[in-house]
């Protein structure tokens, strides 16, 4: 969460681990393991999500190292303004 640098594998492994923990908490009497198919699907979705973040220039990738850049300031302000407008409408 707090890292500025990571890798695709670290992100995928972390998410697989978190899903296994959530499954274990849900059914405390069974061994919680992701099936091979579930794990492959998670890894595909991580790859897809990282590619979207790359395209939006929110992260950068050099070799296998992924670095967090963050939201551009103008877009962040626009998003905040949209959130405020939506709250006023509600």
């Amino acid at each position: 969460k707090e890292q500025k640098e990571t890798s695709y594998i670290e992100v995928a492994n972390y998410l697989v681990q978190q899903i296994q923990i959530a499954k274990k908490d849900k059914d405390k009497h069974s061994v919680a393991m992701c099936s091979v198919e579930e794990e492959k699907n998670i890894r595909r979705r991580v790859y897809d999500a990282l590619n979207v973040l790359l395209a939006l220039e929110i992260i950068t990738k050099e070799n296998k190292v992924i670095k967090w850049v963050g939201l551009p300031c103008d877009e962040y302000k626009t998003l905040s303004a949209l959130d405020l407008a939506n709250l006023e409408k509600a």
Side-chain angles (χ1 to χ4, degrees):
K1 292 178 183 178
E2 307 262 334
Q3 288 182 316
K4 294 282 184 182
E5 293 184 5
T6 190
S7 70
Y8 157 78
I9 292 171
E10 287 179 359
V11 173
N13 288 342
Y14 176 79
L15 290 174
V16 168
Q17 179 186 24
Q18 292 302 307
I19 289 170
Q20 289 174 342
I21 290 169
K23 282 185 172 187
K24 184 178 178 184
D25 288 345
K26 185 177 178 182
D27 187 8
K28 296 181 181 189
H29 300 292
S30 68
V31 176
M33 295 297 292
C34 288
S35 70
V36 174
E37 293 172 4
E38 286 177 313
E39 191 169 331
K40 284 182 181 180
N41 191 39
I42 292 166
R43 293 180 187 283
R44 271 194 302 272
R45 298 303 138 225
V46 167
Y47 182 79
D48 292 344
L50 290 178
N51 280 330
V52 169
L53 294 175
L54 279 167
L56 295 172
E57 298 179 353
I58 294 172
I59 61 173
T60 60
K61 184 177 175 186
E62 295 177 29
N63 297 324
K64 293 185 178 188
V65 177
I66 298 169
K67 294 181 182 180
W68 176 260
V69 175
L71 292 172
C73 290
D74 291 339
E75 289 181 29
Y76 183 75
K77 289 177 185 175
T78 302
L79 290 174
S80 295
L82 288 173
D83 286 341
L84 287 174
N86 287 335
L87 286 174
E88 289 173 359
K89 288 180 184 178

